């Protein structure tokens, strides 16, 4: 076997391997059945360990560019005609010919076109539209999680992912980014379409080696800064790819500091299946299943902050959630508490964490998720404290 054949086999294997990992990554984030999600996550963990990197870095590395160049363009060759397909800031596809004439879609091959080339190009464009939709959905979820979990990148890894990849470039220009020192925000900046950076006052900004970069959470900005950033995006007619500047922020109340439990959602009535679906989408799981398949808690284990979160509700039967339920209270515990079901109530009390001791972003994001999950409420149960 000559060297060219070896290289071809390697490239083919690598593309297949990367594609498989993308599919597994999607399952690990979106699949609603916990066993399947866990199996996919285990496979990703194994792959990342074999490469000597963490799972999020692996997910960064396998983000495809779908054949687009650094300008976000890709050429489809019909032989006699060529069409330039461009990624728009909204991550949709814009088609034009070499003269600049625009089309709503890639044109149907004509008699003067090379039949083989045109047919192949037309088929590839259809595949591209499907692939782009999948990639955009996955990366939107990943960025939402990065905002929620306070994920950071080194300047070098940030540039590789958000500058060099044409798809992630489109995401990047719609967000406010921050430079962090000791996990505290020191500067915020925006990535411009032309590759430059600027501040909220529209002054030029420079990224330096060694910087640590993350997605800014509105809880880290004052109201004036938020308005300046909003105005800048409006002036440039840029729509944010996820809820960032308009994201609702939740602060610990005095009552919650003393009570150690969050009761602001207590008494909300809503469909149990709706609650299950939305919480699962945010990475929550059903709590301990008791006799007859009954459960009355949801929980979330956060490995980044090493905190368990438990939401109590009136309860539902597994597979019979399509009934009205009542939300009770929310509590935070030391890692490993909630999943260890043999703990006594006394152990729960010993491991409970006061909300005001939690990272502000973490607390706000958990309540943001509960607020979203209960948005479809059908009423209020005033007697929920007596019933819980």
């Amino acid at each position: 076997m000559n060297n060219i054949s070896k290289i071809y086999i390697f490239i083919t294997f690598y593309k297949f391997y990367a594609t498989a990992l993308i599919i597994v990554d999607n399952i690990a984030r979106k699949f609603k059945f916990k066993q399947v999600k866990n199996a996919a996550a285990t496979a990703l963990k194994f792959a990342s360990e074999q490469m000597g990197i963490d799972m999020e870095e692996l997910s960064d590395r396998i983000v495809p560019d779908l054949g687009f160049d650094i300008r976000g363009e890709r050429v489809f060759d019909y032989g006699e005609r060529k069409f330039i397909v461009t990624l728009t800031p909204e991550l949709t596809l814009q088609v034009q010919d070499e003269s600049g004439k625009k089309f709503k879609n890639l044109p149907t091959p004509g008699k003067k076109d090379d039949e083989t080339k045109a047919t192949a190009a037309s088929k590839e464009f259809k595949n591209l539209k499907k692939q782009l939709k999948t990639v955009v959905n996955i990366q939107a979820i990943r960025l939402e999680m990065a905002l929620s979990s306070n994920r950071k990148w080194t300047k070098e890894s940030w540039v590789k992912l958000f500058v060099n990849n044409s798809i992630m470039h489109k995401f990047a220009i719609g967000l406010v980014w921050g430079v962090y020192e000791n996990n505290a925000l020191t500067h915020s900046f925006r990535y411009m379409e032309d590759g430059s950076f600027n501040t909220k006052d529209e002054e030029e900004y420079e990224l330096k080696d060694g910087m640590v970069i993350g997605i800014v959470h509105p809880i880290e900005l004052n109201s004036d800064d938020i308005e300046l950033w909003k105005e800048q995006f409006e002036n440039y007619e840029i729509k944010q790819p996820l809820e960032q500047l308009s994201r609702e922020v939740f602060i610990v109340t005095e009552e919650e500091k003393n009570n150690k439990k969050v009761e602001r959602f207590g008494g909300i009535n809503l469909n149990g299946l709706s609650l299950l679906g939305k919480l699962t989408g945010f990475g929550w799981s059903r709590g301990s299943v008791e006799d007859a398949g009954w459960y009355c808690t949801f929980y979330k284990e956060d490995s980044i902050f090493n905190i368990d979160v438990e939401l109590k509700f009136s309860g539902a039967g597994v597979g019979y959630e399509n009934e009205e339920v009542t939300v009770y209270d929310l509590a935070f515990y030391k890692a490993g508490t909630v999943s260890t079901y043999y703990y006594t109530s006394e152990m729960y009390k010993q491991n409970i964490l006061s909300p005001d001791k939690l990272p502000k972003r973490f607390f706000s994001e958990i309540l943001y998720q509960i607020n979203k999950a209960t948005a479809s409420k059908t009423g209020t149960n005033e007697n929920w404290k007596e019933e819980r």
Side-chain angles (χ1 to χ4, degrees), residues 253-383:
T253 65
E254 288 300 319
E255 181 182 358
E256 288 161 353
K257 291 179 184 178
N258 298 323
N259 190 25
K260 289 194 175 181
K261 289 191 176 184
V262 176
E263 297 182 342
R264 65 177 82 182
F265 302 104
I268 289 178
N269 289 340
L270 75 161
N271 180 271
L273 195 59
S274 173
L275 181 64
L276 170 65
K278 290 177 181 177
L279 285 179
T280 301
F282 284 120
W284 291 66
S285 301
R286 292 189 185 102
S288 178
V289 178
E290 302 171 2
D291 294 340
W294 190 260
Y295 66 100
C296 55
T297 61
F298 291 98
Y299 74 96
K300 185 171 188 177
E301 298 172 303
D302 193 286
S303 60
I304 296 175
F305 294 100
N306 291 318
I307 296 170
D308 287 354
V309 192
E310 184 179 68
L311 177 69
K312 291 184 178 180
F313 74 112
S314 56
V318 176
Y320 297 92
E321 287 92 353
N322 199 19
E323 300 288 342
E324 188 173 80
V325 298
T326 302
V327 174
Y328 291 164
D329 52 42
L330 180 72
F332 302 85
Y333 300 93
K334 295 178 183 177
T337 302
V338 175
S339 60
T340 310
Y341 299 127
Y342 56 80
Y343 270 16
T344 64
S345 59
E346 186 61 34
M347 292 296 289
Y348 265 85
K349 289 179 182 178
Q350 291 179 13
N351 288 330
I352 195 168
L353 300 172
S354 180
D356 62 322
K357 304 300 182 184
L358 303 172
K360 292 181 179 179
R361 183 193 293 228
F362 176 78
F363 177 83
S364 183
E365 282 300 293
I366 291 297
L367 269 66
Y368 174 84
Q369 294 170 12
I370 300 299
N371 190 54
K372 288 286 188 182
T374 58
S376 58
K377 69 177 184 178
T378 56
T380 304
N381 180 354
E382 300 293 345
N383 300 316

Side-chain angles (χ1 to χ4, degrees), residues 142-153:
R142 290 190 65 226
L143 288 174
E144 181 80 29
M145 292 176 66
L147 168 61
S148 181
S149 65
N150 201 12
R151 190 190 169 197
K152 304 292 194 305
W153 291 264

